[in-house]
Amino acid sequence: MGMDLLSNLALGFQTIISPQNLLYCFLGALIGTLIGVLPGIGPVQTIAILLPTTFALPPVSGLIMLAGIYYGAQYGGSTTSILVNVPGEASSVVTCLDGYQMALQGRAGAALTVSALGSFVAGCFATFLIALLAVPLSELAFRFGPAEYFSLMVFGLVGSIVFASGSPLKAIGMILLGLLLGMVGTDVTSGVQRFSFGIPELADGLGFVPLAMGLFGISEIVKSLERREKREIIKSRLSGFWLKKKDIKEVTPAVARGTFIGSFLGILPGGGAILSSFISYMVEKKVSRNPESFGKGNICGVASPESANNAGAQTSFIPLLTLGIPSNVIMAMMAGAMMIHGIQPGPRVISSNPDLFWGVIASMWVGNFMLVILNLPLIGIWVKLLSVPYRILYPAILLFCCIGIYSINNNVFDIWLTALLGFLGYLFVKLECEPAPLILGFVLGPLMEENLRRGMLISRGDPSIFFTRPLSLAFLIMAFILLIVIAVPAIRKKREEAFREEA
C-alpha cells in the first residue's frame, strides 16, 4: 500500500513538473488569487467563464488550472477580508470579523501571514488525505451496482439541500428543475428527442457551459451592478509579517482544528469551503478561553476558518475523483469539464487516466507552495487592484464570456441561450433561490436516470432492488434522515437564523 502510494505520487510529480503543466498550475493559482481579491467575482463565476478556454488544452492541464483557480480563490478572498472588510469570496465572510479588526489595530501583516500559512498547512494535509483515500474509495466504488449509484446520488442531492442557505423548499425546487433540464435532448436508450421543442440545437441537450455561465457569470455581473461600491482600504503601510512566538503558540491548535473540520466537511455532499469556514469559526469560539475577544481581532478567528476553507476546498475533490459524485457546485463544474474532454468522473479515472488523476493531486501541493510565495509579496498589487471600479471591469468580463461561448461550437444560438439563462439566474437571485442545487441536479440527472433504468432492467421492473441491496438501502435511509432534519420546523428556523447571523 505504502509503496503503491509512493509510486503513484511519483507519477503525479512527473506529470506536474512538465513546463506546460507547471505554467497552468501557476496561472490557475494566480487567477484564483486575483478573483478571490476582487469582490463580486467568485471562483464559481470564474470557472464558469473560463471553462471554454480549457477545451484547447490537454485534459490534465485544463483540470490543473481549474483546481488552482478554486483553491487559489480561498487564499485571495482573505486579503480583501482583512484589508477592506469586503469578502472577495463567500468562504471569506468569517475572516472579515477578526481579520479587519486586526488590520485596524495595525496587525494586518500578521493576519495575512497567518492566513497564508494556515491555508498552506491545511492544503498540504488535505492533499495528502486525497492521495491516501483515493485508491481504497475507488476500489469500494467498483462494488457499486446501478442501485447503489442511484441511491448514492439521491443522498448527495438531499445533502446539498441540507447545506444550502435559505429555504429548503426552494432548494428542492431548484434540484428538480436541474433534473428536468438534464433530460433535454436525445434519450440515450430509445434515441427519441425529449423537450427539444423542434429546435435542432437542443437535440444534444442543453450545453453545460451556457448553463453555468448564464446562471453564475452573467447573473452575478447584473447583481453586482446593483450594489453601491464602498471600500475602505487600509491606508497605512503594511508591516509586521513575522509572527511572534506567542502568536505561533496560539494559532497552531487553531490551524489543526480548522484543517480537520475542513477536511471532513469537504467530503460531505453539499459541503466544501463555505460551510467549513463557518463551522470552524463557531467551534473556535466555543473552545476559546476568552470567546468575547472574537470579533475584536482574535488571531485564531483568522487562522481556523482560513485553514478550514482551504482544506474543505481540496477534500471536496475526493467524492468527485473516486465515486464520480460532485459534492458541491464547483465540483459539478469540474465534472462538466471532465465530461467535455470525454473523461467520465469516477473510480475508472485512476486506472484509465492515472497521469491525470495523480497529476491533479500533485499539482495541489505545488499550487499551494506557489500561493504562499505569490501572496505575501504581491499584496501591494492586490490592494491597488481594489481601487479599480467594477463598472470598468464588467464590460471586459461580458466580452470574454461571449467570445468563450461562441468559440465552443461557433454557434450564435449558444450566446442567446446564455443570455436567456443569465436572465433566469438573475430572476433566481431576486426570488432568493440558490442556483447551486440546480447545477448539481443538472449534472447528476442523466447519471441518475441511467442508473435507475439499468437497475430496473436488472430486476425486470421490480423497484424493490433499491431497498433489498444493503448499501443502496443505507444511502436511502441516510437521505431520508436528512430530509426529516430539514423538515422539522424548529431545526430549519434555527439553521436559517444561524446563516443570517454569520452572513
Side-chain angles (χ1 to χ4, degrees), residues 224-458:
S224 298
L225 288 172
E226 283 188 346
R227 290 195 293 259
R228 286 183 68 84
E229 290 183 293
K230 192 188 175 195
R231 301 176 193 170
E232 293 291 327
I233 301 171
I234 299 287
K235 293 283 191 289
S236 58
R237 194 171 177 274
L238 293 173
S239 59
F241 286 101
W242 293 105
L243 295 175
K244 297 170 189 167
K245 269 188 181 176
K246 176 179 163 282
D247 291 333
I248 295 167
K249 195 179 173 185
E250 211 175 322
V251 299
T252 304
V255 168
R257 279 189 290 268
T259 302
F260 281 113
I261 291 166
S263 298
F264 173 69
L265 289 175
I267 301 169
L268 295 181
I274 301 170
L275 188 76
S276 303
S277 61
F278 278 102
I279 300 288
S280 67
Y281 188 82
M282 288 192 276
V283 168
E284 213 52 48
K285 205 171 175 180
K286 284 270 191 295
V287 300
S288 175
R289 286 178 184 171
N290 48 338
E292 66 283 346
S293 66
F294 279 79
K296 294 173 186 171
N298 190 316
I299 197 166
C300 294
V302 176
S304 187
E306 280 302 313
S307 305
N309 69 25
N310 212 273
Q314 284 176 227
T315 55
S316 57
F317 280 88
I318 294 175
L320 174 71
L321 293 174
T322 58
L323 304 172
I325 308 292
S327 60
N328 56 46
V329 65
I330 291 183
M331 290 304 111
M333 289 191 184
M334 293 285 182
M338 288 171 83
M339 286 172 184
I340 287 160
H341 281 290
I343 298 161
Q344 182 64 47
R348 294 190 193 281
V349 174
I350 296 180
S351 52
S352 62
N353 296 80
D355 58 330
L356 177 133
F357 185 88
W358 295 105
V360 169
I361 289 174
S363 79
M364 292 179 187
W365 268 308
V366 176
N368 273 291
F369 182 67
M370 283 177 176
L371 281 162
V372 171
I373 297 168
L374 261 178
N375 262 298
L376 296 174
L378 295 181
I379 279 164
I381 295 169
W382 304 138
V383 172
K384 282 189 177 70
L385 270 172
L386 288 167
S387 59
V388 178
Y390 190 71
R391 65 179 182 275
I392 293 169
L393 286 173
Y394 87 86
I397 298 167
L398 266 178
L399 177 68
F400 192 73
C401 282
C402 294
I403 293 167
I405 297 157
Y406 183 77
S407 66
I408 300 167
N409 298 317
N410 295 336
N411 195 339
V412 179
F413 176 81
D414 289 346
I415 295 176
W416 288 114
L417 183 63
T418 308
L420 179 69
L421 289 163
F423 172 74
L424 193 67
Y426 179 66
L427 197 67
F428 290 149
V429 168
K430 288 294 174 192
L431 296 171
E432 293 181 0
C433 295
E434 206 179 327
L438 187 150
I439 290 278
L440 284 172
F442 180 78
V443 171
L444 290 179
L447 297 171
M448 281 179 78
E449 185 191 5
E450 187 190 333
N451 284 293
L452 174 68
R453 287 166 84 163
R454 279 171 60 201
M456 294 294 276
L457 203 66
I458 291 165

Side-chain angles (χ1 to χ4, degrees), residues 87 496-497:
E496 286 178 7
E497 281 172 3

